[in-house]
Amino acid sequence: MQPHDSTADAFDKSSPASGAPASGPAKGNTDSDAARKNNDTIECDICVIGAGSGGLSVAAAAASFGVSVVLIEKHKMGGDCLNYGCVPSKALIAAGKRAQLMRAPNGFGIAPSEPRIDYKAVHDHVHSVIAAIEPNDSVERFTGLGVNVIEAAARFVDKNTVEAGERRIKARRFVISTGSSPLVPPIPGLDSVPYFTNESIFDNQTKIDHLLIVGGGPIGMELAQAHRRLGSRVTVLEGMKALGKDDPEMTKVVLEHLRGEGIDIRENALVTRVEGSQGSVSAHIKVGDIEDVVEGTHIIIAAGRKPNVDDLGLEAAGIKYDKRGIKVDKGLITSNKNVFAIGDVIGGLQFTHVANYHAGLVIRKALFRLPFIKVNEGVVPWVTYTDPELAHVGLTEDQAVEKHGKISVLRWPYHENDRAQAERQTSGHVKVITDKKGRILGATIVGEHAGEIISMWSLAISQKMKIKAMTGWISPYPTLSEINKRAAYKFYAGATSSPVLRKAISLLAKLG
């Protein structure tokens, strides 16, 4: 990733909402002209709490418009995604993919070979990627933009004042972007067993012989495949359906592939107890009426996220919240009309790009007072970075039927695409949902580079396009993106056999 322009950062940051517990002395650009000091009180236009994706985006954009900004972060700049989530996980996935390509070159005339994996070097690769991106999110960079950065824990003392370290900040508007943390379920015995979460797994520097993963959502499945490809045995324990929030037709392709690589995925498996010590753990599970014990060497908890709302003094600020997060209206305003909340801390879709999206809405509302700006989660895409990838935007087939009744389902397989054949990546397909008039309602893709290919459908849905628009562009040949166009043409497949249309063509032919 290359350094970003500060204004562009307001709408496209690559780091997450922050919130890991820690604190430190107040420091940073305390003498900046971006804020006015009155003894130990700073007065500013916008105070941002949390230097993750959303918070950094708000701070960068506001500062670029000459607005005085205070940014408070109690732990690491860049938040969860840079340090513990999106960035390190994708780096680990990339390492696993390289190993798998050596094992299974898939008929290119190249002999397979078992890779020799240096686990310390894999760890260093992951952290070098983090280090390469860190300057974009650093205290120094934001201080240079004119943001007053305070490294301390923030706490509201009243509706208009936050305390951070030895400073008090009074602001015209506050933005809470404290993110989320791993949810550790109350499994009996877990408190006495060493376990990983996404905040610790990327510090591992040795081979894991048998990894037990509690949770079969996107985080769990991505980590499962990466570790399997790096030489570990992996067992996933999911209490319901693995990848249960996505279209089951599409998740079936992913899960079959993962099982084919040797990952043991146990669905509807309730973990009733864990026990063990470093290097030897056991998970007692119950599947229906059947009880079993799964033994491994390490265990990671990937069972969801919880919003970082503790110790923020939200009661003092009159801000309502519950276990799901801070309550906001459709404009991201809390019960305190001077306070916005964005990203993971409000629950809902928990993705870095959602926090960036929220940040853009807040800037428009807080700086330009634009009315009627509301969050539209229907245009938000998401991707599970397994191999094959699984990407989605808009409504699923079931949701579309429930909302619109009669719909059209358009599909096109990867194996009918020439680029997919050339690269032997023929597993998967595109699935598009429209209403009967051709308005695009949703799209799901499973296959190579699905996360890239979904962007066209994301644009189409955000701009309320009809399927005709997806047939009117020219695709370079050969590319995987042609799959999108072929799927769109399926909407008109019945027209070629229409008696009326054939008769019209015949009459036109007779006219010369």
Side-chain angles (χ1 to χ4, degrees):
M1 179 176 297
Q2 299 299 316
H4 300 299
D5 175 80
S6 60
T7 304
D9 275 348
F11 309 106
D12 185 18
K13 285 297 301 176
S14 62
S15 351
S18 74
S23 64
K27 57 184 179 179
N29 188 27
T30 53
D31 294 321
S32 170
D33 291 336
R36 300 180 299 279
K37 298 184 294 180
N38 179 13
N39 296 326
D40 290 330
T41 299
I42 301 173
E43 297 180 3
C44 62
D45 287 304
I46 294 179
C47 176
V48 180
I49 303 172
S53 178
L56 293 177
S57 295
V58 171
S64 71
F65 286 110
V67 174
S68 58
V69 184
V70 170
L71 174 63
I72 306 172
E73 173 53 55
K74 68 179 181 179
H75 193 30
K76 292 186 176 183
M77 296 285 286
D80 188 83
C81 188
L82 172 62
N83 298 288
Y84 313 113
C86 316
V87 171
S89 67
K90 303 313 166 281
L92 189 70
I93 287 168
K97 188 169 187 176
R98 296 305 185 278
Q100 188 67 11
L101 288 173
M102 293 180 66
R103 270 187 213 100
N106 294 331
F108 285 99
I110 301 170
S113 62
E114 186 62 28
R116 291 184 295 118
I117 297 169
D118 181 337
Y119 295 92
K120 172 64 166 58
V122 171
H123 164 274
D124 293 347
H125 152 68
V126 169
H127 286 269
S128 69
V129 173
I130 296 172
I133 298 172
E134 274 179 334
N136 297 332
D137 299 344
S138 65
V139 172
E140 292 77 13
R141 180 183 179 226
F142 278 79
T143 296
L145 294 176
V147 177
N148 187 343
V149 182
I150 299 177
E151 295 180 80
R155 183 179 180 84
F156 282 94
V157 294
D158 60 41
K159 289 188 174 184
N160 302 299
T161 310
V162 159
E163 190 173 69
E166 298 178 354
R167 310 304 298 272
R168 286 199 169 195
I169 301 94
K170 289 184 175 291
R172 181 176 61 85
R173 295 286 186 272
F174 290 89
V175 180
I176 302 173
S177 179
T178 50
S180 63
S181 299
L183 173 66
V184 179
I187 301 172
L190 187 59
D191 56 355
S192 60
V193 173
Y195 61 86
F196 291 117
T197 67
N198 73 292
E199 291 183 352
S200 56
I201 187 65
F202 301 109
D203 289 329
N204 179 61
Q205 300 183 37
T206 59
K207 180 180 178 180
I208 295 175
D209 289 329
H210 187 179
L211 181 62
L212 308 183
I213 300 179
V214 179
I219 294 174
M221 303 314 293
E222 289 177 2
L223 290 174
Q225 188 175 39
H227 281 87
R228 177 59 185 156
R229 290 178 161 190
L230 292 170
S232 301
R233 290 177 58 201
V234 179
T235 301
V236 178
L237 305 173
E238 167 56 45
M240 299 175 71
K241 295 290 291 182
L243 299 177
K245 293 184 178 180
D246 283 284
D247 187 321
E249 175 189 339
M250 313 300 270
T251 59
K252 181 180 178 182
V253 177
V254 176
L255 297 178
E256 286 180 351
H257 193 100
L258 298 186
R259 288 186 169 111
E261 291 189 9
I263 299 172
D264 183 4
I265 303 171
R266 306 198 186 187
E267 298 177 292
N268 301 308
L270 176 65
V271 180
T272 59
R273 187 171 85 255
V274 297
E275 55 192 13
S277 58
Q278 188 71 42
S280 178
V281 293
S282 299
H284 295 253
I285 64 172
K286 188 173 183 180
V287 182
D289 296 328
I290 301 174
E291 296 184 1
D292 196 4
V293 179
V294 183
E295 296 182 349
T297 58
H298 299 75
I299 188 168
I300 181 171
I301 306 300
R305 310 282 298 174
K306 63 177 181 179
N308 292 325
V309 295
D310 295 339
D311 301 321
L312 288 175
L314 299 177
E315 294 85 355
I319 298 172
K320 295 180 180 179
Y321 68 98
D322 58 23
K323 65 180 182 180
R324 292 169 293 184
I326 294 176
K327 295 181 177 295
V328 296
D329 64 14
K330 292 184 178 180
L332 301 169
I333 300 173
T334 70
S335 50
N336 179 337
K337 63 182 179 64
N338 295 321
V339 180
F340 295 90
I342 64 176
D344 286 12
V345 75
I346 67 173
L349 297 177
Q350 297 185 330
F351 303 109
T352 294
H353 50 283
V354 171
N356 293 332
Y357 168 50
H358 289 172
L361 297 181
V362 165
I363 285 296
R364 291 175 177 90
K365 206 171 186 74
L367 297 189
F368 301 107
R369 307 293 180 93
L370 296 177
F372 310 120
I373 296 178
K374 297 179 180 180
V375 174
N376 179 9
E377 291 192 344
V379 301
V380 176
W382 63 80
V383 184
T384 300
Y385 292 93
T386 48
D387 180 9
E389 291 181 356
L390 177 62
H392 174 79
V393 65
L395 301 180
T396 64
E397 180 179 359
D398 290 343
Q399 291 169 338
V401 168
E402 182 178 346
K403 187 172 181 179
H404 295 275
K406 292 183 178 181
I407 61 169
S408 293
V409 180
L410 317 174
R411 296 180 178 85
W412 195 262
Y414 268 60
H415 68 76
E416 290 288 347
N417 176 267
D418 293 356
R419 180 67 177 271
Q421 286 288 351
E423 298 193 1
R424 297 195 178 275
Q425 295 290 345
T426 56
S427 176
H429 64 279
V430 173
K431 180 179 180 180
V432 181
I433 312 299
T434 74
D435 64 15
K436 285 300 181 181
K437 294 183 178 180
R439 184 163 63 96
I440 302 167
L441 304 176
T444 307
I445 305 173
V446 59
E448 181 79 354
H449 297 306
E452 303 290 342
I453 302 172
I454 197 69
S455 295
M456 293 185 67
W457 298 108
S458 183
L459 173 65
I461 290 173
S462 70
Q463 300 304 306
K464 300 180 180 180
M465 295 180 180
K466 289 190 174 182
I467 199 68
K468 182 180 179 181
M470 296 296 284
T471 66
W473 58 281
I474 299 172
S475 173
Y477 174 88
T479 57
L480 292 176
S481 60
E482 289 180 279
I483 300 171
N484 286 336
K485 191 171 185 178
R486 297 298 294 269
Y489 272 123
K490 292 282 286 184
F491 185 82
Y492 302 100
T496 59
S497 58
S498 168
V500 175
L501 184 59
R502 288 187 170 223
K503 185 175 182 180
I505 293 173
S506 178
L507 288 173
L508 291 170
K510 290 178 181 179
L511 294 175

